Amino acid sequence: MPGLRYGAGMANPDLNLLFTLDVLLQEGSVAGAARRLRLSPSAMSRALARLRATMGDPLLVRAGRGLVPTPRALALREPVRQLVQDSVGVLRPADTLDLQGLERTFTLRNREGFVENFGAALVERVATQAPGVRLRFEQKTDRDSTALREGRADLETGVVGQAMAPELRTQALFSDRFVSVVRQGHPLAGRLHELGAYLEGRHIGVAHGTAGQEGVDLALERLGHQRRVDLWAGSFSAALALARATDCIANVPDRHTRSLRQDMHAAPWPVRVPAFSVSLIWHPRYSADPAHQWLRTCVRDVVSACVADMPLLEGAGDIGADLPGR
């Protein structure tokens, strides 16, 4: 903007400008921000001018009929959003939670098997303590944390990985490990824990991939072997359905699929692959929220009680035994 000079900023800036900046960065327009804050367009324009002078950056610049954010504005969007949310949380009085009067819908995103194993007990626990609370279970098909960041989901369960957004909070729920599963009466059912039998079988791969499946392939590769994958399925439940109806082997998480593989034969892997942890995941905007804290406690307690009745299949077969060609 010709003739406009940006100052070095005030020594004690008005922190109320943070709230104005947050709305401006979300809306990307003076008119939209004015409507959100119930200000006149001219008052919002003056607020934007103060922000520009304070921060030494134009923040929003003209592009055709609209405004576009500067690189600094883009970099500030998430930090400013978090600052505002934290400030609101600090200033909000800590009310005593009235569970009997609580009216709220919580959305939980989970991998397949979670609802089948833990859903009924969680629903019963919630209904008993807070009859006005509703639960919405959604299938978690990827590790994208956008739903948590945008507030479209309240909680997720899953394996924490490097791709997870760094601001998310986590708490371990239970450990799990992969097992081999075949139908009852399968020719290899009694020897599936042996490496030779495991390599002899035809395997079902799961298309979305997991660290566990990669782990067994790496362990076999170090021994100079490779399993035979003849089929691919899009989910663990689909892999189990195929294994139930064929002579193929499904490789699935032990506890997470316990209720999905009733009347099937399961065996520990013949090579040792580390167990992994399934965690509760949420956005820090809800960390101090009493209702959210209560829900997290419900999930932890229910899962802990259910897992106590699900001992993991322990032990691996003798890696050096029954190797083909030995």
Side-chain angles (χ1 to χ4, degrees), residues 123-174:
V123 168
E124 182 180 0
R125 166 80 173 256
V126 168
T128 300
Q129 297 188 4
V133 167
R134 297 165 297 277
L135 299 180
R136 177 185 292 116
F137 294 102
E138 293 184 354
Q139 188 74 20
K140 181 179 178 180
T141 58
D142 52 44
R143 298 184 181 181
D144 185 11
S145 55
T146 302
L148 287 176
R149 298 179 76 175
E150 294 182 351
R152 292 185 286 107
D154 296 279
L155 281 175
E156 289 186 0
T157 55
V159 178
V160 176
Q162 294 182 346
M164 192 185 78
E167 73 270 20
L168 297 182
R169 303 291 187 264
T170 66
Q171 186 171 41
L173 287 175
F174 62 94

Side-chain angles (χ1 to χ4, degrees), residues 36-253:
R36 285 267 303 268
L37 295 175
R38 298 182 181 180
L39 297 174
S40 67
S42 59
M44 182 54 64
S45 294
R46 290 194 296 271
L48 176 57
R50 289 183 62 197
L51 282 166
R52 286 168 166 168
T54 299
M55 303 179 67
D57 188 273
L59 299 173
L60 298 172
V61 296
R62 182 70 56 187
R65 295 185 177 182
L67 297 174
V68 295
T70 65
R72 189 178 182 202
L74 289 173
L76 287 172
R77 184 176 291 162
E78 286 300 320
V80 168
R81 178 93 280 257
Q82 191 62 57
L83 278 172
V84 169
Q85 290 174 349
D86 290 345
S87 299
V88 170
V90 168
L91 296 174
R92 182 186 295 121
D95 297 327
T96 301
L97 182 63
D98 176 17
L99 288 177
Q100 289 297 310
L102 182 62
E103 297 280 344
R104 188 160 166 181
T105 299
F106 291 101
T107 299
L108 295 83
R109 296 180 72 235
N110 315 102
R111 292 282 191 187
E112 55 185 329
F114 184 90
V115 173
E116 291 84 348
N117 280 316
F118 313 114
L122 181 59
V123 168
E124 182 180 0
R125 166 80 173 256
V126 168
T128 300
Q129 297 188 4
V133 167
R134 297 165 297 277
L135 299 180
R136 177 185 292 116
F137 294 102
E138 293 184 354
Q139 188 74 20
K140 181 179 178 180
T141 58
D142 52 44
R143 298 184 181 181
D144 185 11
S145 55
T146 302
L148 287 176
R149 298 179 76 175
E150 294 182 351
R152 292 185 286 107
D154 296 279
L155 281 175
E156 289 186 0
T157 55
V159 178
V160 176
Q162 294 182 346
M164 192 185 78
E167 73 270 20
L168 297 182
R169 303 291 187 264
T170 66
Q171 186 171 41
L173 287 175
F174 62 94
S175 61
D176 208 346
R177 60 163 40 95
F178 275 74
V179 294
S180 303
V181 180
V182 293
R183 63 173 178 81
Q184 290 290 346
H186 190 286
L188 300 176
R191 300 190 298 118
L192 200 54
H193 61 285
E194 300 172 358
L195 185 55
Y198 184 83
L199 294 173
E200 181 183 336
R202 299 164 57 221
H203 292 257
I204 305 168
V206 178
H208 62 62
T210 64
Q213 292 184 105
E214 295 169 0
V216 73
D217 289 329
L218 289 173
L220 291 173
E221 183 180 341
R222 285 195 292 268
L223 293 171
H225 296 286
Q226 182 178 10
R227 63 187 176 125
R228 174 184 170 185
V229 180
D230 286 351
L231 295 174
W232 291 92
S235 65
F236 292 128
S237 58
L240 288 168
L242 288 170
R244 183 176 277 110
T246 68
D247 279 343
C248 291
I249 303 170
N251 296 273
V252 298

